[in-house]
Amino acid sequence: KEPYSDPDVRWALSYFIDRQQVIDVALGGAGSISQLPLPTYPGLMPFIEGISDLLQKYPTTEFNPDKGAQLLQSKGWQKDGDGNWAKDGKVLDVPIESFTVMADIGPVIAEQLRRQGVKSSYSMPPDFGNRFTDPQGDYNAALFGHGGSVSGDPYFTLRLYQSATEAVPGAHLVNFSKWRNSDYDKIVDEMYVTSPDNKDALMDQWRRAMEIWLPNLPDIQIQE
């Protein structure tokens, strides 16, 4: 949905989020920042470390309001009289929804966005689960978790962003972001028929997939 369909808007929102402050305020410091939709389990660390150069180029956890503002301005967004980002007469409105698990970090993230000129709020509607998992994606912004890879095979996390998995019912292994990229899809299909023991091939496929995923940032990372 517009304006979230623009990667620059997604990156701007990411730059507006101070993740360490989220963890300090909402969790009393008892948490860690997440760079990727991949947990830092031992079997997966080689894949995270294997794209360290890409993460420097695409810093998914950087708090940098100036960068965010520059991205929005480059796409025609300007601050209105109330200090909110607006374009074509519409303000940048990011109502965040989730469920009780996110009740600690949700209000903090919404407040951070408001302080950067983004109209935002946090709520936990009783029908959130149904609307969030609906194939039509009846929500604007949401906080949720990942049900992907936990061992030495990144396939199950990459699968979360394949266009084909939009049709998978339930709350796991589903492309909730509704992001689509045919080149990415092909790489993940290639990984599906690759043995998990072939680490060199997996690493090459993982890197090629993340060279597409990172600049697009279909899913803004918060915490692990």
Side-chain angles (χ1 to χ4, degrees), residues 137-158:
D138 185 23
Y139 69 96
N140 282 282
L143 286 167
F144 207 68
H146 301 96
S149 301
V150 295
S151 60
D153 186 354
Y155 167 75
F156 298 99
T157 287
L158 293 183

Side-chain angles (χ1 to χ4, degrees), residues 18 25 87 97 101 104 116 119 128 139-140 153 223:
D18 183 344
V25 173
K87 181 180 180 180
E97 301 178 18
V101 173
D104 43 17
Q116 300 301 330
K119 184 180 178 183
F128 166 75
Y139 69 96
N140 282 282
D153 186 354
Q223 67 164 1

Side-chain angles (χ1 to χ4, degrees), residues 20-64:
Q20 190 57 55
Q21 186 182 66
V22 170
I23 290 172
D24 290 343
V25 173
L27 305 174
S32 58
I33 296 171
S34 175
Q35 291 181 289
L36 298 165
L38 200 69
T40 54
Y41 294 166
L44 295 170
M45 282 306 297
F47 296 97
I48 297 173
E49 294 167 352
I51 59 167
S52 58
D53 59 324
L54 294 179
L55 288 170
Q56 288 183 349
K57 184 178 181 181
Y58 304 106
T60 55
T61 60
E62 181 178 350
F63 173 55
N64 195 324

Side-chain angles (χ1 to χ4, degrees), residues 14-186:
S14 179
Y15 282 132
F16 287 159
I17 299 172
D18 183 344
R19 293 155 178 85
Q20 190 57 55
Q21 186 182 66
V22 170
I23 290 172
D24 290 343
V25 173
L27 305 174
S32 58
I33 296 171
S34 175
Q35 291 181 289
L36 298 165
L38 200 69
T40 54
Y41 294 166
L44 295 170
M45 282 306 297
F47 296 97
I48 297 173
E49 294 167 352
I51 59 167
S52 58
D53 59 324
L54 294 179
L55 288 170
Q56 288 183 349
K57 184 178 181 181
Y58 304 106
T60 55
T61 60
E62 181 178 350
F63 173 55
N64 195 324
D66 289 339
K67 279 188 178 180
Q70 290 170 6
L71 285 173
L72 292 181
Q73 289 169 348
S74 72
K75 293 303 181 72
W77 295 86
Q78 298 292 333
K79 288 285 188 73
D80 63 14
D82 295 323
N84 294 319
W85 290 103
K87 181 180 180 180
D88 300 328
K90 295 182 179 179
V91 299
L92 182 53
D93 188 8
V94 184
I96 303 171
E97 301 178 18
S98 192
F99 59 117
T100 52
V101 173
M102 307 295 180
D104 43 17
I105 68 171
V108 181
I109 295 172
E111 175 62 21
Q112 288 183 349
L113 293 178
R114 287 194 295 269
R115 292 187 179 190
Q116 300 301 330
V118 178
K119 184 180 178 183
S120 187
S121 60
Y122 178 73
S123 64
M124 296 184 293
D127 62 342
F128 166 75
N130 291 333
R131 292 189 298 103
F132 181 71
T133 58
D134 186 277
Q136 300 303 313
D138 185 23
Y139 69 96
N140 282 282
L143 286 167
F144 207 68
H146 301 96
S149 301
V150 295
S151 60
D153 186 354
Y155 167 75
F156 298 99
T157 287
L158 293 183
R159 188 173 183 266
L160 297 176
Y161 302 94
Q162 271 195 304
S163 56
T165 62
E166 289 181 24
V168 177
H172 296 286
L173 294 176
V174 182
N175 182 359
F176 293 124
S177 70
K178 308 297 186 290
W179 176 67
R180 298 181 181 90
N181 185 287
S182 59
D183 292 331
Y184 176 92
D185 286 347
K186 292 175 183 176

